[in-house]
Amino acid sequence: MSDWWQWSPVKANQQLGFAVVGIGRFGSAVCRELLRNGADVLAIDSSEKAIEELRQLEPTIEARVVDSTDEESMKEAGVLEMGTVVVGISEPIEASITTTLIAKDTDGSLVKQVIARATSDLHEKMLKRVGADRVVFPSRMQGERLGLELVRPNLIERLELDDKTGIDEIKVPEVFVGRSLRDLNLRKNYFVNVLAAGPAQLLTVNPPAKYILEKDHVLVVMGSMEDLQKLPQI
């Protein structure tokens, strides 16, 4: 399994919630995945039409028409009270850059990380210069995947076998470190099956019950999507 999209988010961000700025195809997909996983989401767009279309798809979402390039509007909308801001604006790039700068540099902002969408290498460089913690390209990472990653910070990779079943490669949660597979009994307690465990580059397939999980190890488990979501996070 590839780890090209692995990263280390700030755990407290989830407690502060997520703001998604720019509700196009990418931003909407991020919103849907976050909501599906029970996250607190605030959706922002300068287009009333985009906000109304999102509300029709997700009636329960908190969505507001806001000019994200205006600092006061961002404050009043509550964007700067969120722990994570996803800037899904693609064009104009000036709006994307200004929004990122406001989220990261405004006095009193509670935003800990900004994940911004880029359309070119130059756009990526400019976003990083104004404080973006991470820059993604929609061609490399779809909105659903980013949304899942935000709510599952220890998820390294997921393989969906069908609509209900999947295989997850995860970083071993802290509460599992130092414990044996027999002690954890993941099949009984979480209804998932352990396929492999160990260092990322030296996995033990079908590990024995006495296998002890260690810090920085990974765990490969199979089960229903619903049960996989219930596994402890880092």
Side-chain angles (χ1 to χ4, degrees):
M1 291 187 179
S2 171
D3 60 356
W4 64 267
W5 61 295
Q6 183 177 344
W7 63 306
S8 299
V10 179
K11 292 166 63 177
N13 290 352
Q14 289 191 50
Q15 297 175 3
L16 295 175
F18 301 91
V20 180
V21 183
I23 311 302
R25 184 176 300 176
F26 178 77
S28 296
V30 174
C31 287
R32 286 195 300 272
E33 190 63 34
L34 288 171
L35 288 171
R36 191 171 73 87
N37 285 275
D40 181 18
V41 185
L42 171 63
I44 296 296
D45 200 285
S46 60
S47 167
E48 185 172 351
K49 179 181 178 182
I51 292 297
E52 287 303 317
E53 289 178 350
L54 178 63
R55 284 173 176 161
Q56 290 177 11
L57 294 173
E58 301 289 345
T60 62
I61 195 170
E62 182 70 28
R64 301 173 187 174
V65 179
V66 175
D67 177 4
S68 66
T69 64
D70 182 80
E71 185 175 303
E72 288 304 315
S73 297
M74 290 278 277
K75 285 182 179 179
E76 293 175 6
V79 176
L80 304 186
E81 298 176 8
M82 297 295 177
T84 297
V85 174
V86 177
V87 181
I89 303 170
S90 57
E91 294 180 350
I93 64 172
E94 292 86 352
S96 167
I97 294 165
T98 302
T99 299
T100 299
L101 181 61
I102 289 173
K104 289 291 291 188
D105 205 43
T106 299
D107 289 340
S109 173
L110 299 179
V111 176
K112 302 301 181 184
Q113 62 178 354
V114 173
I115 302 169
R117 171 188 179 183
T119 56
S120 68
D121 291 340
L122 177 60
H123 190 188
E124 177 186 19
K125 290 179 181 179
M126 296 174 72
L127 286 167
K128 287 184 176 179
R129 285 181 180 177
V130 297
D133 298 281
R134 186 182 180 203
V135 178
V136 299
F137 290 82
S139 60
R140 303 177 196 167
M141 175 185 289
Q142 298 303 314
E144 293 90 346
R145 188 54 166 273
L146 177 58
L148 177 62
E149 179 180 343
L150 287 171
V151 292
R152 294 286 307 282
N154 67 332
L155 179 66
I156 299 172
E157 184 65 280
R158 164 168 288 182
L159 173 63
E160 296 186 3
L161 301 179
D162 55 38
D163 292 339
K164 295 182 179 180
T165 310
I167 298 174
D168 280 3
E169 180 183 7
I170 64 173
K171 299 176 186 176
V172 172
E174 290 180 5
V175 295
F176 287 0
V177 173
R179 302 177 65 184
S180 70
L181 293 176
R182 177 184 291 109
D183 180 34
L184 292 169
N185 202 346
L186 298 183
R187 179 179 294 181
K188 177 181 178 181
N189 294 321
Y190 294 95
F191 306 105
V192 299
N193 294 311
V194 177
L195 303 182
Q201 306 303 322
L202 193 62
L203 288 174
T204 298
V205 178
N206 193 23
K210 64 180 181 180
Y211 194 93
I212 304 294
L213 298 177
E214 299 181 15
K215 185 178 180 180
D216 298 327
H217 277 192
V218 300
L219 194 60
V220 182
V221 290
M222 180 176 69
S224 71
M225 300 294 189
E226 182 178 354
D227 290 330
L228 290 171
Q229 297 295 105
K230 296 176 182 177
L231 288 168
Q233 302 301 305
I234 286 180

Coordinates of all heavy atoms in Angstrom, one line a residue, residues 98-172:
T98 N -5.4 34.9 -0.7 CA -5.9 35.8 0.3 C -6.7 35.1 1.4 O -6.5 35.4 2.6 CB -6.8 36.9 -0.3 OG1 -6.1 37.6 -1.3 CG2 -7.3 37.9 0.7
T99 N -7.5 34.2 1.0 CA -8.3 33.4 2.0 C -7.3 32.6 2.9 O -7.5 32.6 4.2 CB -9.2 32.4 1.3 OG1 -10.1 33.1 0.5 CG2 -10.0 31.5 2.3
T100 N -6.3 32.0 2.4 CA -5.3 31.3 3.2 C -4.6 32.2 4.1 O -4.4 31.8 5.3 CB -4.3 30.6 2.2 OG1 -5.0 29.7 1.4 CG2 -3.3 29.8 3.0
L101 N -4.2 33.3 3.7 CA -3.5 34.3 4.5 C -4.4 34.8 5.6 O -3.9 34.9 6.8 CB -3.1 35.5 3.6 CG -2.3 36.6 4.4 CD1 -1.0 36.1 4.9 CD2 -2.0 37.8 3.4
I102 N -5.6 35.1 5.4 CA -6.6 35.5 6.4 C -6.7 34.4 7.5 O -6.7 34.7 8.7 CB -7.9 35.9 5.8 CG1 -7.8 37.2 5.0 CG2 -9.0 36.0 6.9 CD1 -9.1 37.6 4.2
A103 N -6.9 33.2 7.1 CA -7.1 32.1 8.0 C -5.9 31.9 8.9 O -6.1 31.6 10.1 CB -7.5 30.8 7.2
K104 N -4.7 32.1 8.4 CA -3.5 31.8 9.1 C -3.0 33.0 9.9 O -2.3 32.8 10.9 CB -2.4 31.3 8.2 CG -2.7 29.9 7.6 CD -2.6 28.8 8.7 CE -1.1 28.6 9.2 NZ -1.0 27.5 10.1
D105 N -3.2 34.2 9.4 CA -2.5 35.3 9.9 C -3.3 36.4 10.7 O -2.8 37.3 11.2 CB -1.8 36.0 8.7 CG -0.6 36.8 9.2 OD1 0.2 36.3 10.0 OD2 -0.4 38.0 8.7
T106 N -4.6 36.2 10.7 CA -5.5 37.1 11.4 C -5.3 37.0 12.9 O -5.3 35.9 13.5 CB -7.0 36.9 11.1 OG1 -7.1 37.1 9.6 CG2 -7.9 37.9 11.8
D107 N -5.2 38.2 13.6 CA -5.1 38.2 15.1 C -6.3 37.5 15.7 O -7.4 37.8 15.3 CB -4.9 39.6 15.6 CG -3.6 40.2 15.2 OD1 -2.7 39.5 15.0 OD2 -3.5 41.5 15.3
G108 N -6.0 36.6 16.6 CA -7.1 35.9 17.3 C -7.7 34.7 16.6 O -8.5 34.0 17.1
S109 N -7.1 34.4 15.4 CA -7.6 33.2 14.7 C -7.3 31.9 15.5 O -6.2 31.8 16.0 CB -7.0 33.1 13.3 OG -7.3 31.9 12.7
L110 N -8.2 31.0 15.5 CA -8.0 29.7 16.2 C -7.6 28.6 15.2 O -7.4 27.5 15.6 CB -9.3 29.3 16.9 CG -9.8 30.2 18.1 CD1 -11.1 29.7 18.7 CD2 -8.7 30.4 19.1
V111 N -7.5 29.0 14.0 CA -7.1 28.0 12.9 C -5.7 27.5 13.1 O -4.8 28.3 13.2 CB -7.3 28.7 11.5 CG1 -6.8 27.7 10.4 CG2 -8.7 29.1 11.3
K112 N -5.6 26.2 13.2 CA -4.3 25.6 13.4 C -3.7 25.1 12.1 O -2.5 24.9 12.0 CB -4.5 24.4 14.4 CG -5.0 24.8 15.8 CD -4.1 25.8 16.4 CE -4.7 26.2 17.8 NZ -3.9 27.2 18.5
Q113 N -4.5 24.7 11.2 CA -4.0 24.3 9.9 C -4.9 24.7 8.8 O -6.1 24.7 8.9 CB -3.8 22.8 9.9 CG -5.0 21.9 10.1 CD -4.7 20.5 10.1 OE1 -3.6 20.0 9.8 NE2 -5.7 19.6 10.3
V114 N -4.3 25.0 7.6 CA -5.0 25.3 6.4 C -4.5 24.3 5.3 O -3.3 24.2 5.1 CB -4.7 26.7 6.0 CG1 -5.4 27.0 4.6 CG2 -5.3 27.7 7.0
I115 N -5.5 23.7 4.7 CA -5.2 22.8 3.6 C -5.8 23.4 2.4 O -7.0 23.7 2.3 CB -5.9 21.4 3.8 CG1 -5.3 20.8 5.1 CG2 -5.6 20.5 2.6 CD1 -6.1 19.6 5.6
A116 N -5.0 23.8 1.4 CA -5.5 24.6 0.3 C -5.3 23.8 -1.0 O -4.4 23.0 -1.2 CB -4.7 25.9 0.2
R117 N -6.3 24.0 -1.9 CA -6.3 23.4 -3.2 C -5.5 24.3 -4.2 O -5.6 25.5 -4.2 CB -7.7 23.3 -3.7 CG -7.8 22.8 -5.2 CD -9.2 22.9 -5.7 NE -9.4 22.5 -7.0 CZ -10.5 22.5 -7.7 NH1 -11.6 23.0 -7.1 NH2 -10.6 22.1 -9.0
A118 N -4.6 23.7 -5.0 CA -3.8 24.4 -6.0 C -4.1 23.9 -7.4 O -4.5 22.7 -7.6 CB -2.3 24.2 -5.7
T119 N -3.8 24.7 -8.3 CA -4.1 24.4 -9.7 C -2.8 24.3 -10.5 O -2.8 23.9 -11.7 CB -5.0 25.4 -10.4 OG1 -4.5 26.7 -10.3 CG2 -6.4 25.3 -9.7
S120 N -1.7 24.7 -9.9 CA -0.4 24.7 -10.6 C 0.7 24.7 -9.6 O 0.5 24.9 -8.4 CB -0.2 25.9 -11.5 OG -0.1 27.1 -10.8
D121 N 2.0 24.4 -10.1 CA 3.1 24.4 -9.2 C 3.4 25.8 -8.6 O 3.7 25.9 -7.4 CB 4.4 23.9 -9.9 CG 4.3 22.4 -10.2 OD1 3.5 21.7 -9.6 OD2 5.0 22.0 -11.1
L122 N 3.2 26.8 -9.4 CA 3.3 28.2 -8.9 C 2.3 28.5 -7.9 O 2.6 29.2 -6.9 CB 3.2 29.2 -10.1 CG 3.3 30.7 -9.8 CD1 4.7 31.0 -9.1 CD2 3.2 31.5 -11.0
H123 N 1.1 28.1 -8.1 CA 0.0 28.4 -7.2 C 0.4 27.7 -5.8 O 0.2 28.3 -4.7 CB -1.3 27.8 -7.7 CG -2.5 28.2 -6.9 ND1 -3.8 27.6 -7.2 CD2 -2.7 29.0 -5.9 CE1 -4.6 28.1 -6.4 NE2 -4.0 29.0 -5.5
E124 N 0.9 26.5 -5.9 CA 1.3 25.8 -4.7 C 2.4 26.5 -3.9 O 2.3 26.7 -2.7 CB 1.8 24.4 -5.1 CG 2.3 23.6 -3.9 CD 3.0 22.3 -4.3 OE1 3.4 22.1 -5.5 OE2 3.1 21.4 -3.5
K125 N 3.4 27.0 -4.6 CA 4.4 27.8 -4.0 C 3.9 29.0 -3.3 O 4.3 29.3 -2.1 CB 5.5 28.2 -5.0 CG 6.3 27.0 -5.5 CD 7.3 27.5 -6.6 CE 8.1 26.3 -7.1 NZ 9.1 26.8 -8.2
M126 N 3.0 29.7 -3.9 CA 2.4 30.9 -3.3 C 1.6 30.6 -2.1 O 1.6 31.4 -1.1 CB 1.6 31.7 -4.4 CG 2.4 32.2 -5.6 SD 1.5 32.9 -6.9 CE 1.0 34.4 -6.2
L127 N 0.8 29.6 -2.2 CA 0.0 29.2 -1.0 C 0.9 28.8 0.2 O 0.6 29.2 1.3 CB -0.9 28.0 -1.4 CG -2.1 28.3 -2.3 CD1 -2.7 27.0 -2.8 CD2 -3.1 29.1 -1.6
K128 N 2.0 28.1 -0.1 CA 2.9 27.8 1.0 C 3.5 29.0 1.6 O 3.8 29.1 2.8 CB 3.9 26.8 0.5 CG 3.3 25.4 0.3 CD 4.4 24.4 -0.1 CE 3.8 23.0 -0.2 NZ 4.8 22.0 -0.6
R129 N 3.8 30.0 0.8 CA 4.5 31.2 1.3 C 3.6 32.0 2.2 O 4.1 32.7 3.1 CB 4.9 32.0 0.1 CG 6.2 31.5 -0.6 CD 6.6 32.4 -1.8 NE 7.8 31.9 -2.5 CZ 8.3 32.4 -3.5 NH1 7.8 33.5 -4.0 NH2 9.4 31.9 -4.1
V130 N 2.3 31.9 2.0 CA 1.4 32.7 2.8 C 0.9 31.9 4.0 O 0.0 32.3 4.8 CB 0.2 33.3 2.0 CG1 0.7 34.3 1.0 CG2 -0.6 32.2 1.4
G131 N 1.4 30.7 4.2 CA 1.1 29.9 5.4 C 0.3 28.6 5.3 O 0.0 28.0 6.3
A132 N 0.0 28.2 4.1 CA -0.7 26.9 3.9 C 0.1 25.8 4.5 O 1.3 25.6 4.2 CB -1.1 26.6 2.5
D133 N -0.5 25.0 5.4 CA 0.2 23.9 6.0 C 0.3 22.7 5.0 O 1.2 21.9 5.1 CB -0.6 23.4 7.3 CG -0.6 24.5 8.3 OD1 0.4 24.7 9.0 OD2 -1.7 25.2 8.4
R134 N -0.6 22.6 4.1 CA -0.6 21.6 3.1 C -1.3 22.0 1.9 O -2.3 22.7 2.0 CB -1.3 20.3 3.7 CG -1.1 19.1 2.8 CD -1.8 17.9 3.4 NE -1.7 16.8 2.5 CZ -2.5 15.8 2.5 NH1 -3.5 15.8 3.3 NH2 -2.4 14.7 1.7
V135 N -0.8 21.6 0.7 CA -1.4 21.9 -0.5 C -1.7 20.7 -1.3 O -0.9 19.8 -1.3 CB -0.5 22.8 -1.4 CG1 -1.1 23.1 -2.7 CG2 -0.2 24.1 -0.7
V136 N -2.9 20.5 -1.8 CA -3.3 19.3 -2.5 C -3.8 19.7 -3.9 O -4.2 20.8 -4.2 CB -4.5 18.6 -1.8 CG1 -4.1 18.2 -0.4 CG2 -5.7 19.5 -1.7
F137 N -3.6 18.7 -4.8 CA -4.1 18.9 -6.2 C -5.3 17.9 -6.4 O -5.1 16.7 -6.2 CB -3.0 18.5 -7.2 CG -1.9 19.5 -7.2 CD1 -0.9 19.5 -6.3 CD2 -1.8 20.5 -8.2 CE1 0.1 20.5 -6.3 CE2 -0.8 21.5 -8.2 CZ 0.2 21.4 -7.3
P138 N -6.4 18.4 -6.8 CA -7.6 17.5 -7.0 C -7.3 16.3 -7.9 O -7.9 15.3 -7.7 CB -8.7 18.5 -7.5 CG -8.3 19.8 -7.0 CD -6.8 19.8 -7.0
S139 N -6.4 16.5 -8.8 CA -6.1 15.4 -9.7 C -5.4 14.3 -9.0 O -5.4 13.1 -9.4 CB -5.3 15.9 -10.9 OG -4.1 16.4 -10.4
R140 N -4.8 14.6 -7.9 CA -4.0 13.6 -7.1 C -4.8 13.1 -5.9 O -4.6 12.0 -5.4 CB -2.7 14.2 -6.6 CG -1.8 14.7 -7.7 CD -0.6 15.3 -7.2 NE 0.1 16.1 -8.2 CZ 1.0 17.0 -7.9 NH1 1.5 17.1 -6.7 NH2 1.6 17.7 -8.9
M141 N -5.7 13.9 -5.4 CA -6.5 13.5 -4.2 C -7.9 14.1 -4.4 O -8.1 15.3 -4.4 CB -5.9 14.1 -2.9 CG -6.7 13.8 -1.7 SD -6.0 14.6 -0.2 CE -4.6 13.6 0.0
Q142 N -8.9 13.2 -4.4 CA -10.3 13.6 -4.5 C -10.8 14.1 -3.2 O -10.3 13.9 -2.1 CB -11.1 12.5 -5.0 CG -10.7 11.9 -6.4 CD -10.8 13.0 -7.4 OE1 -11.7 13.8 -7.5 NE2 -9.7 13.1 -8.2
G143 N -11.9 14.9 -3.3 CA -12.4 15.5 -2.1 C -12.9 14.5 -1.0 O -12.7 14.7 0.2
E144 N -13.5 13.4 -1.5 CA -13.9 12.4 -0.5 C -12.7 11.8 0.3 O -12.8 11.6 1.5 CB -14.6 11.2 -1.3 CG -15.9 11.6 -1.9 CD -15.7 12.1 -3.3 OE1 -14.6 12.4 -3.7 OE2 -16.7 12.1 -4.1
R145 N -11.6 11.6 -0.4 CA -10.4 11.1 0.2 C -9.9 12.0 1.3 O -9.5 11.6 2.4 CB -9.4 10.8 -0.8 CG -8.2 10.0 -0.3 CD -8.6 8.7 0.4 NE -7.5 7.8 0.7 CZ -7.1 6.9 -0.2 NH1 -7.7 6.8 -1.4 NH2 -6.1 6.1 0.1
L146 N -9.8 13.3 0.9 CA -9.3 14.3 1.9 C -10.3 14.4 3.1 O -9.8 14.5 4.2 CB -9.2 15.7 1.2 CG -8.8 16.8 2.1 CD1 -7.5 16.6 2.8 CD2 -8.8 18.2 1.4
G147 N -11.6 14.4 2.9 CA -12.5 14.4 4.0 C -12.3 13.2 4.9 O -12.3 13.4 6.1
L148 N -12.1 12.0 4.3 CA -11.9 10.8 5.1 C -10.6 11.0 5.9 O -10.5 10.6 7.1 CB -11.8 9.6 4.2 CG -11.5 8.3 4.9 CD1 -12.6 7.9 5.9 CD2 -11.4 7.2 3.9
E149 N -9.6 11.5 5.3 CA -8.3 11.6 5.9 C -8.4 12.6 7.1 O -7.7 12.3 8.2 CB -7.3 12.1 4.9 CG -5.9 12.3 5.5 CD -4.9 12.8 4.4 OE1 -5.2 12.7 3.2 OE2 -3.9 13.3 4.8
L150 N -9.1 13.6 7.0 CA -9.2 14.6 8.1 C -9.9 14.0 9.3 O -9.5 14.4 10.4 CB -10.0 15.8 7.6 CG -9.3 16.7 6.6 CD1 -10.3 17.7 6.0 CD2 -8.1 17.4 7.3
V151 N -10.8 13.1 9.2 CA -11.5 12.6 10.3 C -10.9 11.3 10.8 O -11.2 10.7 11.8 CB -13.0 12.3 10.1 CG1 -13.7 13.7 10.0 CG2 -13.3 11.5 8.8
R152 N -10.0 10.7 10.0 CA -9.2 9.5 10.3 C -7.7 9.8 10.3 O -7.1 9.3 9.3 CB -9.6 8.3 9.4 CG -11.0 7.8 9.5 CD -11.3 7.0 10.7 NE -10.4 5.9 10.9 CZ -10.4 4.8 10.2 NH1 -11.4 4.6 9.3 NH2 -9.5 3.8 10.5
P153 N -7.2 10.5 11.2 CA -5.8 11.0 11.1 C -4.8 9.8 11.1 O -3.6 10.1 10.7 CB -5.6 11.9 12.3 CG -6.7 11.5 13.3 CD -7.8 11.1 12.4
N154 N -5.1 8.7 11.6 CA -4.2 7.6 11.6 C -4.3 6.6 10.4 O -3.7 5.6 10.3 CB -4.2 6.8 12.9 CG -5.5 6.0 13.0 OD1 -6.5 6.4 12.5 ND2 -5.5 4.9 13.8
L155 N -5.2 7.0 9.5 CA -5.4 6.2 8.3 C -4.3 6.4 7.3 O -4.1 7.6 6.9 CB -6.8 6.5 7.7 CG -7.2 5.7 6.4 CD1 -7.3 4.2 6.7 CD2 -8.5 6.2 5.8
I156 N -3.7 5.4 6.8 CA -2.6 5.5 5.8 C -3.2 5.2 4.4 O -2.9 5.9 3.5 CB -1.5 4.5 6.1 CG1 -0.8 4.9 7.5 CG2 -0.4 4.6 5.0 CD1 0.2 3.8 8.0
E157 N -4.0 4.1 4.3 CA -4.5 3.8 3.0 C -5.8 3.0 3.2 O -6.0 2.3 4.3 CB -3.5 2.9 2.3 CG -3.9 2.6 0.8 CD -4.1 3.8 -0.1 OE1 -5.1 4.4 0.0 OE2 -3.1 4.0 -0.9
R158 N -6.7 3.1 2.3 CA -7.9 2.3 2.3 C -8.2 1.6 1.0 O -8.1 2.3 -0.1 CB -9.1 3.1 2.7 CG -10.5 2.5 2.4 CD -11.7 3.2 3.0 NE -11.7 2.9 4.5 CZ -12.7 3.4 5.3 NH1 -13.6 4.1 4.8 NH2 -12.6 3.2 6.6
L159 N -8.6 0.4 1.0 CA -9.0 -0.4 -0.2 C -10.4 -0.8 0.0 O -10.7 -1.6 0.9 CB -8.1 -1.6 -0.4 CG -8.5 -2.6 -1.5 CD1 -8.4 -1.9 -2.9 CD2 -7.6 -3.8 -1.5
E160 N -11.3 -0.3 -0.8 CA -12.7 -0.6 -0.7 C -13.0 -1.8 -1.6 O -12.8 -1.8 -2.8 CB -13.6 0.6 -1.2 CG -13.4 1.8 -0.3 CD -14.4 2.9 -0.7 OE1 -15.2 2.7 -1.6 OE2 -14.3 4.0 0.0
L161 N -13.4 -2.9 -0.9 CA -13.7 -4.1 -1.6 C -15.1 -4.1 -2.2 O -15.3 -4.7 -3.3 CB -13.7 -5.3 -0.6 CG -12.3 -5.5 0.1 CD1 -12.4 -6.6 1.1 CD2 -11.2 -5.7 -0.9
D162 N -16.0 -3.4 -1.6 CA -17.4 -3.1 -2.2 C -17.9 -1.9 -1.4 O -17.2 -1.2 -0.7 CB -18.3 -4.3 -2.1 CG -18.4 -4.9 -0.6 OD1 -18.5 -4.0 0.3 OD2 -18.5 -6.1 -0.5
D163 N -19.2 -1.7 -1.5 CA -19.8 -0.5 -0.9 C -19.8 -0.6 0.6 O -19.9 0.5 1.3 CB -21.3 -0.3 -1.4 CG -21.3 0.1 -2.9 OD1 -20.3 0.6 -3.4 OD2 -22.4 -0.1 -3.5
K164 N -19.7 -1.8 1.2 CA -19.8 -1.9 2.6 C -18.6 -2.4 3.3 O -18.4 -2.3 4.5 CB -21.0 -2.9 2.9 CG -22.3 -2.3 2.5 CD -23.4 -3.3 2.9 CE -24.8 -2.7 2.5 NZ -25.9 -3.7 2.9
T165 N -17.6 -3.0 2.6 CA -16.5 -3.7 3.2 C -15.2 -3.1 2.6 O -15.1 -2.7 1.5 CB -16.5 -5.2 2.8 OG1 -17.8 -5.7 3.2 CG2 -15.4 -5.9 3.6
G166 N -14.2 -3.0 3.5 CA -12.9 -2.5 3.1 C -11.7 -3.0 3.9 O -11.9 -3.7 4.9
I167 N -10.5 -2.6 3.5 CA -9.3 -3.0 4.2 C -8.6 -1.7 4.5 O -8.3 -0.9 3.5 CB -8.4 -3.9 3.3 CG1 -9.1 -5.2 3.0 CG2 -7.1 -4.1 4.0 CD1 -8.3 -6.1 2.1
D168 N -8.3 -1.4 5.7 CA -7.6 -0.2 6.2 C -6.2 -0.5 6.6 O -6.0 -1.5 7.4 CB -8.3 0.5 7.3 CG -9.5 1.3 6.8 OD1 -9.8 1.3 5.6 OD2 -10.2 2.0 7.7
E169 N -5.3 0.3 6.2 CA -3.9 0.3 6.8 C -3.8 1.5 7.7 O -4.0 2.7 7.2 CB -2.9 0.4 5.7 CG -1.4 0.3 6.2 CD -0.4 0.5 5.1 OE1 -0.8 0.7 4.0 OE2 0.8 0.3 5.5
I170 N -3.6 1.3 9.0 CA -3.6 2.4 9.9 C -2.4 2.4 10.8 O -1.7 1.4 10.9 CB -4.8 2.4 10.8 CG1 -4.8 1.1 11.7 CG2 -6.1 2.4 10.0 CD1 -5.9 1.0 12.8
K171 N -2.0 3.6 11.3 CA -1.0 3.7 12.3 C -1.6 3.1 13.6 O -2.7 3.3 13.9 CB -0.6 5.1 12.6 CG 0.0 5.8 11.4 CD 0.3 7.3 11.7 CE 0.7 8.1 10.5 NZ 0.9 9.5 10.9
V172 N -0.8 2.3 14.3 CA -1.3 1.7 15.5 C -1.7 2.7 16.5 O -0.9 3.6 16.9 CB -0.2 0.8 16.2 CG1 -0.6 0.3 17.5 CG2 0.1 -0.4 15.3

